[in-house]
Amino acid sequence: MRYSLCVLLLLFSVARTISPFSHSDRYTRSDHLLRRRPQEYFEVTHPLPSGHAIPSCSHQILRHSFGNTINSPPFSTSYSPPSRCPAPWSRVILHFHATCKGEQYDRIAGLWLGGVELLRTSTAQPTQSGIFWDVRKDVTRYSSLLVRSDLKLTMMLENIVNREFTGVYHVTITLLYFKGHAVGVPFRVCSQGQGLNLNRNGSLRILKDESGSDSETPDGISQVGEEKGESNVRQGSFYMSESPADLIIPISDEGNRGFWFRIESDLDLHSKRIQIPPNTYRAVLELYVSYHGNDEFWYSNPPNSYIKTNNLDTGRGNGAYREVYVAIDGEIVGSEIPFPVIFTGGVNPLFWEPMVAIGAFNLPSYDLDLTPFLGKLLDGKKHNFAIGVTQGISYWFVNANLHLWLDPHSSEVHAHRIVHHGPELTLERQEEFIGLDGTFEIEAERQTQSAGWVSSSSGNITTIISQGVKLKNRISFRQNGTYKLVKQHFKVKKRIKIINGRGELITQLKVKKKYPLRVITSMQPSLHKDRYILVTNVSHALKERYSDSGGCFRNSISNNQNSMGWMEVKDHSVLSGQAFTRQNYTFHDKLDCYSRNVAAANGRIVEDISSFACQP
Ligand SMILES: *[C@@H]1O[C@H](CO)[C@@H](O)[C@H](O)[C@H]1NC(C)=O
Ligand SMILES: *[C@@H]1O[C@H](CO)[C@@H](O)[C@H](O)[C@H]1NC(C)=O
Ligand SMILES: *[C@@H]1O[C@H](CO)[C@@H](O)[C@H](O)[C@H]1NC(C)=O
Ligand SMILES: *[C@@H]1O[C@H](CO)[C@@H](O)[C@H](O)[C@H]1NC(C)=O
Ligand SMILES: *[C@@H]1O[C@H](CO)[C@@H](O)[C@H](O)[C@H]1NC(C)=O
């Protein structure tokens, strides 16, 4: 977030003439609430096994203070797995801990192992008495890298420290390695087995609870995470009970400025040529995405016509439609509309203390199943993988991890695509404005279908993926542009059918996601000429549901946050205000349920009830 200075200048001009473009901006909070002790910040999420079970070992892999790191290369250190508890592990949890004190903007950070991203996170804004927070993330799916000792661990966190911004972020990262079944509940999904998995033979099979154990693949890379029938719930993404990929190839930058590609415009396409092993039978591309600068609040950007006609001094335009897409050799194979994560300085920073917005500490990544496209990739040649942002403006940080599963019993797998419809997009825009007041609407819809077969030592498996995406976005300005309402509805329905060589349906997975968002900002004059008051309301949610036809999986997450309040702002600084945030989180699967309801008022928790015995 190197544009903090520009933001500052923009706000100076805004504070004098009340116009809509102080809305949706970034602020730092001045310390109106004096505390004696450092305060803990957190993101409400599902508890990870580190909360219940004792790891076989824990291993600190990074410790660094991020001071004035702007324009410097990222911090790098070598990684090696712990010798005290060698692989295989059943689960690996990353534990990120940070402390900070002083005044500072929120910052974005990325963590990579061998160029493969493990975590995208943003920081909380510190206070004079200090803050700290912990992020725990299941990183078992990166096991093929975690067993290696020839890789560099890299973290990028660009920060500015000077006389005004004093906060230095002190970070430690520890990995917790678990063995055996100690970490089963509450992650178990299928008590009667039937998790779809591939055995060590490479063949597709239906898992039974009593069968199988951790194993070594022929090339000595340990298979981990074979807890039977376990699912893995992550915010914003999910993968069914499958072993971690055998190989992960980064589709990322060289690393001198972090491994993310920096995307500045619609035409800015970044790519990497990669060759995949000829015995790959499954491929999933995991996208990591964050948006900054003029696109930090892309879902609330009006069209350029509005900005131009009103002579507004802002770069936050280009309308409110964005999509991150992936192309292989020039052909678009998938796209994602990201979940709108609000960083801790966004809209009203008082809303995000001490619980941050959904996804702020652990940004969701997005899985695109590329298995139907393997026919294109198994020719032993290099292929061009490119990532871009439709209508994106400066700037986005995107990169991807290509997870590949290899057939241990064959040096060659055959594959062919059957269909690929789409991804045609219907996009309708309506705009209507007089002066600073008006309404802008976008309706977008996309239906895609892709199918392909892969013939490996486990037989001829056909994967059919159908996806429907709908987005509605409406931005209204009223009261001469000082009142702004943003409403967005986003819905995805995805169906994955797996069919065997005899044409029989092995399983069908269904995924549904909804990300509703509503943001209201109303700007009002303050008694002080150099200040203004912003009354703000935010409500947003992340709802996801996964199920399969065999009745094995039925997982759902519902994560809702509602905030309201106001703040008085001078320059970039929040001088006073009131904020109330209520969050309720529910996760349930066939066996377990977890819920947590939290409410915070003016930076203090006023209610916090969690339960493992909720009603699914
Ligand atoms: C509306 O806002 C503009 C720009 O801030 C200002 O020039 C204009 O006088 C305002 N109009 C009214 C009716 O308040
Ligand atoms: C391995 O796969 C073959 C089919 O490709 C099958 O005939 C054989 O029984 C499998 N072996 C094991 C141990 O599962
Ligand atoms: C695999 O199955 C598909 C669809 O049934 C078929 O068209 C294809 O020829 C099969 N491939 C092989 C190698 O048998
Ligand atoms: C914010 O929400 C509250 C409660 O629903 C409502 O009373 C208030 O008017 C809203 N504020 C704005 C600016 O719309
Ligand atoms: C959770 O929040 C949503 C949205 O505010 C609300 O509709 C729902 O009733 C809440 N559920 C609980 C259990 O509080």
Side-chain angles (χ1 to χ4, degrees):
M1 302 192 183
R2 289 157 48 195
Y3 285 98
S4 51
L5 288 179
C6 311
V7 169
L8 217 139
L9 292 178
L10 178 69
L11 276 170
F12 264 120
S13 61
V14 152
R16 288 180 193 160
T17 61
I18 299 236
S19 98
F21 279 88
S22 52
H23 295 172
S24 307
D25 234 315
R26 300 177 60 216
Y27 309 95
T28 59
R29 37 181 320 300
S30 70
D31 240 345
H32 61 284
L33 298 168
L34 278 174
R35 291 188 180 83
R36 259 171 284 144
R37 273 174 287 136
Q39 195 189 11
E40 179 172 9
Y41 278 55
F42 61 93
E43 180 180 339
V44 173
T45 181
H46 197 284
L48 283 167
S50 51
H52 313 268
I54 298 161
S56 297
C57 59
S58 66
H59 180 39
Q60 190 177 91
I61 56 168
L62 183 146
R63 185 189 180 92
H64 191 68
S65 296
F66 294 86
N68 194 37
T69 48
I70 185 150
N71 298 324
S72 309
F75 174 74
S76 253
T77 178
S78 46
Y79 166 84
S80 56
S83 49
R84 284 166 293 138
C85 51
W89 314 291
S90 56
R91 203 162 276 287
V92 185
I93 303 292
L94 184 147
H95 180 176
F96 173 102
H97 177 78
T99 65
C100 192
K101 203 173 167 173
E103 179 162 355
Q104 195 51 265
Y105 274 116
D106 57 88
R107 304 288 177 195
I108 190 72
L111 179 74
W112 297 268
L113 183 59
V116 167
E117 186 154 359
L118 306 182
L119 174 73
R120 181 80 55 100
T121 186
S122 68
T123 64
Q125 296 194 347
T127 58
Q128 297 306 330
S129 39
I131 63 163
F132 65 99
W133 71 95
D134 293 279
V135 186
R136 290 182 181 84
K137 179 175 179 178
D138 190 321
V139 290
T140 313
R141 74 183 308 198
Y142 307 105
S143 294
S144 65
L145 298 164
L146 297 173
V147 296
R148 289 172 59 170
S149 44
D150 56 338
L151 300 174
K152 281 255 183 275
L153 185 75
T154 304
M155 183 165 166
M156 186 77 172
L157 190 164
E158 269 191 296
N159 193 19
I160 299 175
V161 174
N162 55 27
R163 226 177 274 162
E164 187 179 6
F165 300 109
T166 52
V168 172
Y169 289 104
H170 304 282
V171 174
T172 49
I173 300 176
T174 305
L175 289 184
L176 309 174
Y177 303 84
F178 294 83
K179 292 210 173 216
H181 294 261
V183 292
V185 180
F187 290 84
R188 221 165 38 158
V189 170
C190 246
S191 64
Q192 257 70 56
Q194 290 110 40
L196 177 67
N197 210 331
L198 291 141
N199 66 12
R200 86 192 67 157
N201 191 349
S203 61
L204 201 56
R205 65 169 177 177
I206 302 301
L207 282 176
K208 297 283 178 236
D209 249 3
E210 65 279 8
S211 70
S213 63
D214 293 339
S215 63
E216 296 264 315
T217 52
D219 56 0
I221 293 179
S222 306
Q223 298 269 144
V224 296
E226 275 204 47
E227 291 286 298
K228 297 304 159 268
E230 259 188 38
S231 78
N232 201 327
V233 181
R234 295 177 294 134
Q235 194 129 47
S237 192
F238 174 94
Y239 52 105
M240 50 179 167
S241 66
E242 66 185 358
S243 304
D246 300 303
L247 178 68
I248 309 174
I249 302 177
I251 297 172
S252 57
D253 208 359
E254 299 307 314
N256 330 328
R257 309 279 299 137
F259 286 92
W260 37 45
F261 293 123
R262 187 185 168 106
I263 294 188
E264 312 252 356
S265 77
D266 194 32
L267 303 170
D268 218 354
L269 198 62
H270 289 262
S271 64
K272 204 162 157 186
R273 292 181 67 75
I274 60 173
Q275 185 183 347
I276 75 165
N279 61 338
T280 304
Y281 66 80
R282 176 163 159 74
V284 171
L285 187 86
E286 181 190 21
L287 267 179
Y288 274 93
V289 170
S290 58
Y291 20 86
H292 310 282
N294 286 333
D295 251 357
E296 179 172 343
F297 306 95
W298 52 271
Y299 44 84
S300 72
N301 283 12
N304 296 337
S305 55
Y306 174 80
I307 294 171
K308 221 175 146 194
T309 310
N310 287 298
N311 241 335
L312 296 171
D313 181 22
T314 178
R316 297 181 176 218
N318 230 23
Y321 187 78
R322 302 288 183 277
E323 212 177 348
V324 183
Y325 63 92
V326 176
I328 303 178
D329 300 332
E331 180 194 21
I332 294 179
V333 294
S335 62
E336 283 285 343
I337 294 177
F339 174 79
V341 176
I342 302 172
F343 301 127
T344 53
V347 188
N348 181 344
L350 305 179
F351 288 167
W352 320 122
E353 52 178 44
M355 53 194 177
V356 300
I358 299 170
F361 280 163
N362 183 2
L363 274 80
S365 64
Y366 307 88
D367 285 353
L368 305 177
D369 194 331
L370 298 184
T371 308
F373 299 96
L374 279 176
K376 205 173 158 115
L377 301 170
L378 293 177
D379 56 3
K381 296 192 179 126
K382 284 195 168 179
H383 292 270
N384 186 275
F385 280 71
I387 312 177
V389 179
T390 307
Q391 289 166 22
I393 51 174
S394 188
Y395 58 98
W396 290 61
F397 283 145
V398 294
N399 54 231
N401 304 329
L402 183 60
H403 296 252
L404 301 173
W405 285 260
L406 311 180
D407 187 342
H409 292 275
S410 163
S411 57
E412 223 178 73
V413 161
H414 296 279
H416 192 71
R417 184 188 340 179
I418 306 166
V419 284
H420 177 43
H421 293 306
E424 282 107 22
L425 173 74
T426 8
L427 183 67
E428 273 180 48
R429 291 176 194 270
Q430 277 188 11
E431 59 176 72
E432 225 180 284
F433 65 92
I434 301 171
L436 287 165
D437 287 349
T439 301
F440 309 97
E441 278 182 336
I442 294 173
E443 280 195 36
E445 210 173 325
R446 188 195 285 290
Q447 299 288 337
T448 11
Q449 197 183 46
S450 54
W453 54 261
V454 176
S455 175
S456 67
S457 68
S458 54
N460 185 355
I461 304 293
T462 300
T463 306
I464 304 171
I465 304 174
S466 332
Q467 178 167 299
V469 173
K470 269 190 190 173
L471 177 113
K472 262 192 194 182
N473 178 291
R474 184 187 159 99
I475 302 171
S476 315
F477 291 102
R478 287 177 220 151
Q479 292 155 25
N480 201 23
T482 59
Y483 174 95
K484 181 177 184 180
L485 167 67
V486 179
K487 248 181 162 174
Q488 181 164 283
H489 287 279
F490 174 69
K491 231 199 279 194
V492 186
K493 265 192 195 173
K494 194 190 241 177
R495 195 179 291 237
I496 303 176
K497 280 187 188 175
I498 313 267
I499 292 164
N500 70 13
R502 290 188 297 275
E504 296 156 352
L505 181 73
I506 302 176
T507 192
Q508 174 169 286
L509 299 158
K510 284 188 198 166
V511 180
K512 277 188 188 176
K513 300 184 186 187
K514 275 187 192 176
Y515 309 152
L517 168 80
R518 201 174 75 124
V519 181
I520 296 172
T521 44
S522 172
M523 192 172 194
Q524 287 155 23
S526 159
L527 293 175
H528 304 269
K529 229 174 50 208
D530 58 347
R531 303 177 187 179
Y532 60 91
I533 306 244
L534 212 53
V535 182
T536 48
N537 279 1
V538 175
S539 55
H540 63 165
L542 183 145
K543 296 178 189 212
E544 300 186 338
R545 182 183 291 268
Y546 304 84
S547 59
D548 81 324
S549 55
C552 167
F553 296 102
R554 208 170 56 218
N555 295 2
S556 71
I557 297 173
S558 171
N559 195 355
N560 304 275
Q561 239 176 2
N562 292 304
S563 308
M564 60 176 134
W566 61 270
M567 58 178 180
E568 188 182 25
V569 182
K570 185 184 175 194
D571 306 340
H572 61 85
S573 215
V574 177
L575 300 181
S576 61
Q578 280 193 315
F580 183 80
T581 296
R582 173 173 285 283
Q583 178 159 15
N584 63 43
Y585 178 99
T586 330
F587 163 82
H588 57 84
D589 59 33
K590 276 184 73 175
L591 295 175
D592 296 293
C593 186
Y594 170 76
S595 79
R596 185 169 176 189
N597 286 309
V598 200
N602 302 320
R604 288 191 172 82
I605 298 295
V606 293
E607 185 189 314
D608 190 352
I609 302 165
S610 60
S611 161
F612 280 100
C614 48
Q615 287 296 310

